[in-house]
Amino acid sequence: MNMRAALALPTLLSTMLIFILSLAACGNDKDAQVEQDKPLSQMAFEEIENQAQGTTVRFAMWGGWAHVNAWVDGFVAKQLAERHGIRLERISMDPPTYLNKLMGEKAAGREKGGIDLLWINGENFKSAMDAGLLWGPFADRLPNVRRYVDESTASQDFGFLTQGFEAPYGRAHFVFEHDEERTPNPPRSFAELREWVRANPGRFSYPQPPDFTGSAFLRQALYALTGGHEQYMAGFDQALFDANAPKLWAYLNELKPYLWQEGRAYPKDSAALDTLFARGEVDLCMSYHPPHAQNKILEGTYPASTRSYVMSDGSLSNVHFTAIPFNAPNKAGAMVVADFLLSPEAQLSKFDPANWGDFPAVEASRLPQEWRERFAAVDLGQATLSPEALAAAAVPEIPPDWLAALETSWEREVLRQ
């Protein structure tokens, strides 16, 4: 070997070594990219949990209840951090606002948005599905859905098929509230309500639709005044609407001069009605959450003599859900959070009125005996009706297409009259 070759050999070896290492690095990058691009639908849930580890999940939800916000920011966030290293960021945003945001992002072709998980149900879910704003199906991939959720609970939302694009979160029943000392004999049907309002002018109102509670009051009254819910379950029927809706508008307009503020104004939302009730300006309140009165007693807002009740005409009942936006940047993290919210630990904590009081979306019969006993031991408080009493009065929600028609027509036929 001559001197020139001897001097060139180290350089050649170094070049070959760098080339080999670069190939290996490229191979590792490729493997990492394949793993990153592997669809969530092909991953075991353990892999999804691993991908979610150490990430941030942005949870958009209605933020009108301080105790619910505190539960999410406290118990849920702490548990997710300890179990999965997930940082939960709650975003106070009502469904119409985040749906408009998602529609704008979809129109702009924005593939990654700023929301990972939504608290959603009913009319808003159908609107989101119709506009292609949700990602899925994902619900049947969640271990806690498979373990603890009855298929009938998860299959429909306001009569609209969920198709796995929502995971159950909790249950709701529509209740009325009164102070036993102030109003010992509240009206217990919509026929009695008409007479009670006339006899007690200025002492009743309802939130202005499309507020969720105000809209629920419309639907509850529609059922009561037109012969029950069965006729509406097949979907929207314009002829049926034209025949029955005038009975509802006539009833509400008959009440109007006797309402709080003589019907010239309505509480802007359920929280505003709560305030009127707490101040003693109205004698009846209403909520889609059965432990609502007990929550208010515990926080010192309502008197201890407040009680909940249902009308003899029935009580609207539904399940509320979580869903994942089409452009969620952290879909794996969103799935892990949705699954945790269905764990016995989360559902039990949520059931306690001291935390929230939201009724469980899991089936007690599917839980281990120890957990059944723990759920049975929860003190719902004197203001809360038992699950058995609520179940006996429950009637299903009307399909979503009816909601828009009712809310729009209420504005024209009642508010502007």
Side-chain angles (χ1 to χ4, degrees), residues 62 64-65 67 177 182 207 213 267 269-282 284-288 292-293 296 299 301-303:
W62 182 66
W65 282 341
H67 64 289
E177 300 164 349
R182 194 166 76 211
T213 303
D269 53 27
S270 60
L273 181 62
D274 294 348
T275 300
L276 294 179
F277 180 78
R279 290 176 179 171
E281 294 187 47
V282 298
L284 301 177
C285 200
M286 61 191 73
S287 178
Y288 217 143
H292 174 260
K296 292 294 185 178
E299 73 180 25
T301 305
Y302 284 5

Side-chain angles (χ1 to χ4, degrees), residues 178-323:
H178 71 113
D179 181 346
E180 284 188 321
E181 294 184 359
R182 194 166 76 211
T183 314
N185 298 302
R188 295 185 178 272
S189 70
F190 277 83
E192 289 184 12
L193 179 63
R194 176 196 285 118
E195 302 309 315
W196 188 92
V197 169
R198 292 174 66 92
N200 298 273
R203 308 302 298 172
F204 178 77
S205 191
Y206 56 93
Q208 179 171 326
D211 169 78
F212 187 75
T213 303
S215 180
F217 175 75
L218 295 188
R219 304 192 297 274
Q220 189 80 73
L222 178 72
Y223 284 179
L225 299 169
T226 61
H229 69 275
E230 293 88 351
Q231 60 193 310
Y232 302 109
M233 294 298 103
F236 185 73
D237 181 326
Q238 187 66 54
L240 184 60
F241 181 85
D242 292 342
N244 284 354
K247 302 173 188 177
L248 175 61
W249 312 140
Y251 176 89
L252 296 176
N253 281 319
E254 186 178 347
L255 297 185
K256 192 172 181 179
Y258 304 96
L259 297 179
W260 172 78
Q261 297 287 309
E262 297 179 339
R264 294 189 300 270
Y266 293 82
K268 66 176 183 177
D269 53 27
S270 60
L273 181 62
D274 294 348
T275 300
L276 294 179
F277 180 78
R279 290 176 179 171
E281 294 187 47
V282 298
D283 292 328
L284 301 177
C285 200
M286 61 191 73
S287 178
Y288 217 143
H289 293 271
H292 174 260
Q294 188 65 29
N295 294 141
K296 292 294 185 178
I297 291 171
L298 291 172
E299 73 180 25
T301 305
Y302 284 5
S305 50
T306 304
R307 297 291 182 269
S308 303
Y309 71 100
V310 293
M311 294 290 195
S312 60
D313 307 297
S315 167
L316 285 174
S317 174
N318 74 31
V319 176
H320 50 103
F321 296 81
T322 57

Side-chain angles (χ1 to χ4, degrees), residues 79-113:
Q79 290 292 313
L80 289 169
E82 291 178 354
R83 293 165 181 247
H84 302 287
I86 287 176
R87 177 179 177 271
L88 186 67
E89 181 181 319
R90 177 178 56 83
I91 303 173
S92 290
M93 188 181 293
D94 61 25
T97 302
Y98 66 57
L99 289 183
N100 288 336
K101 173 181 172 61
L102 292 174
M103 286 179 185
E105 291 175 352
K106 191 172 185 68
R110 187 174 174 186
E111 296 182 359
K112 287 195 175 182

